Amino acid sequence: MSQRTPVARRLAGLAALTFIMAGPAAAQAQDPKVLGFKKQFVIEITNPGPVALDNHPIIIDVAGVRGLASDFNTYNYALFDEAGGDYRLVVTQTDDLDGDRYHDEIVFIRSLAPLSTTRLVCYYSPTRSFQLMPTAKAGARTGWEPGSSTAGWESNLAAYKFVNGRIEFYGKSYDGLILRKLPAEERRLQEWGLNALDAGESAGLGGLSLWDGDTRLPLYGPSGPEAKLTVLSSGPVRALVKADLGSVGLAGGAAAAVTARFSAFADNAWSRHDVLVETKTGGPVLFGPGLKKLAAETRTLKEAKGFFATWGKTPGAGEIGLAAVFSPADFAGLEEGGVDRAVKLKGPSSRTVTFWVVGSWERGITSPGVPSAQNWALGIENLASRLLSPVKVEFKAR
């Protein structure tokens, strides 16, 4: 019998993994070790709360993994749901967040039952590499509008656009990615949907403001800083865009440096925003997302449950919903403006604060149904309970 070369063995392993991805029957017939993996460890994910977390994003710190497995290789690993001899591949994504060619985070989506612990097994080899090409459910791009600082990020269910600091969202008619189809007459109905929110002079859905004492400083429009936009990840599980808003002048010659990361995750319709405000004084800072005021709107604020939601009408799209979800501990008030209102959040300088925004279009795949305003508020309340649920991730030897 002839011996196969390392390349042939590797190709055979990849074929086996493709077989594992094909379905449950295939999964029962294969063992991940045929891929040549030498080592393994366990990832335990605990949902301690009473709420089911459907399609919940799990973000793993690679440095934390190496605290257990110092030789873990992010270029040669695979994660499996393993039970009773069955091996089901979990599609993951590795992201380099600082451009040093070393991966910082691993991302995947997992549904977690209430009061449960999920056990996954990670197989890896300290050397070599391979790459899978799963179906993309997230994407990002920049710069398709000449003369504007523009970036987009999307999941298969929703898409968002940063344009000169303002944020708009696209209502989708079907499950799929649409940013690659732009530019188009996006404010007119297309086969994929349309741009459901024209921000106009407002913050749109999540455009940032910073407070200097009692004065609100919009970080968008002509008076806002010009953002440096970078796509950090374009899928297949997470789309991630970084906006460096530079230095913002404050009273008394002080300044604040503002950086934001916008992300969308497969099978989820919301946009996650991680915002870092740094000042030399190091004192507390106030900032937050603005939401455009809608015609004939119904608004709901439940600060103890961590959300603000509004449903109303907008020209061109009809009825839409806008919402922001935040930690109740960070909430510092709601400030009314002429064309929008801002959710004020507080935090110490140099601490990243996370919040989420989400938009819905009455004719889109994420429409709340009828009665729209009531269902929208109830849906956002449920979303807030899921996004704010404390999930615990642990790494264990096997």
Side-chain angles (χ1 to χ4, degrees), residues 20-379:
I20 288 172
M21 295 173 68
Q28 295 174 10
Q30 300 295 329
D31 185 319
K33 295 184 183 68
V34 302
L35 293 167
F37 294 126
K38 304 297 184 184
K39 298 187 176 184
Q40 55 191 278
F41 62 90
V42 172
I43 301 174
E44 287 191 354
I45 308 164
T46 301
N47 173 17
V51 177
L53 305 180
D54 295 332
N55 297 320
H56 193 76
I58 307 297
I59 302 174
I60 291 178
D61 180 16
V62 172
V65 172
R66 292 200 174 113
L68 172 70
S70 60
D71 60 351
F72 176 62
N73 179 10
T74 58
Y75 290 95
N76 195 0
Y77 79 95
L79 190 62
F80 290 88
D81 186 349
E82 180 179 320
D86 294 353
Y87 302 91
R88 290 177 172 83
L89 179 72
V90 178
V91 175
T92 66
Q93 172 180 321
T94 49
D95 286 336
D96 171 12
L97 302 181
D98 53 15
D100 63 358
R101 299 186 180 182
Y102 292 94
H103 294 128
D104 302 292
E105 293 179 345
I106 297 173
V107 184
F108 57 94
I109 305 297
R110 188 76 186 182
S111 290
L112 307 173
L115 304 172
S116 70
T117 296
T118 298
R119 188 174 184 269
L120 303 175
V121 182
C122 183
Y123 290 80
Y124 75 97
S125 288
T127 59
R128 301 189 180 182
S129 66
F130 78 94
Q131 183 178 9
L132 293 174
M133 299 298 291
T135 300
K137 289 190 173 184
R141 60 179 295 198
T142 60
W144 70 89
E145 291 191 1
S148 299
S149 295
T150 309
W153 58 100
E154 67 174 326
S155 72
N156 51 312
L157 300 181
Y160 297 85
K161 177 174 72 171
F162 177 105
V163 53
N164 296 331
R166 298 181 170 94
I167 296 176
E168 301 178 346
F169 84 93
Y170 297 91
K172 292 190 176 185
S173 301
Y174 59 76
D175 181 326
L177 303 181
I178 59 97
L179 288 179
R180 64 184 180 274
K181 299 178 183 294
L182 303 178
E185 293 188 50
E186 56 185 50
R187 300 201 195 282
R188 294 188 179 186
L189 186 63
Q190 307 289 318
E191 49 88 18
W192 48 261
L194 82 169
N195 184 335
L197 178 66
D198 179 358
E201 298 302 311
S202 76
L205 176 56
L208 288 169
S209 293
L210 187 67
W211 276 263
D212 187 2
D214 294 329
T215 303
R216 177 184 173 187
L217 303 175
L219 305 184
Y220 54 84
S223 62
E226 183 175 353
K228 177 183 177 182
L229 300 170
T230 307
V231 172
L232 298 181
S233 175
S234 55
V237 178
R238 172 174 69 174
L240 182 60
V241 171
K242 178 183 177 182
D244 184 347
L245 298 171
S247 182
V248 180
L250 304 175
V258 183
T259 305
R261 287 178 175 172
F262 310 116
S263 50
F265 294 80
D267 297 319
N268 287 278
W270 40 263
S271 173
R272 171 172 163 161
H273 297 194
D274 299 291
V275 179
L276 176 65
V277 180
E278 298 176 284
T279 62
K280 289 184 178 180
T281 60
V285 294
L286 282 175
F287 66 95
L291 284 77
K292 184 178 181 178
K293 292 182 176 180
L294 305 175
E297 65 180 3
T298 300
R299 43 178 287 191
T300 305
L301 172 64
K302 292 190 177 181
E303 50 201 88
K305 294 190 175 182
F307 77 93
F308 171 77
T310 180
W311 184 272
K313 297 180 179 180
T314 189
E319 293 188 5
I320 64 171
L322 310 176
V325 175
F326 46 83
S327 169
D330 295 333
F331 184 70
L334 191 68
E335 182 169 311
E336 297 287 338
V339 294
D340 58 19
R341 53 182 61 87
V343 177
K344 297 173 70 173
L345 304 174
K346 64 179 182 296
S349 173
S350 303
R351 190 200 85 180
T352 298
V353 174
T354 299
F355 61 89
W356 300 261
V357 301
V358 59
S360 182
W361 173 45
E362 63 172 337
R363 296 170 59 185
I365 56 173
T366 61
S367 169
V370 179
S372 299
Q374 180 181 346
N375 287 342
W376 178 240
L378 289 173

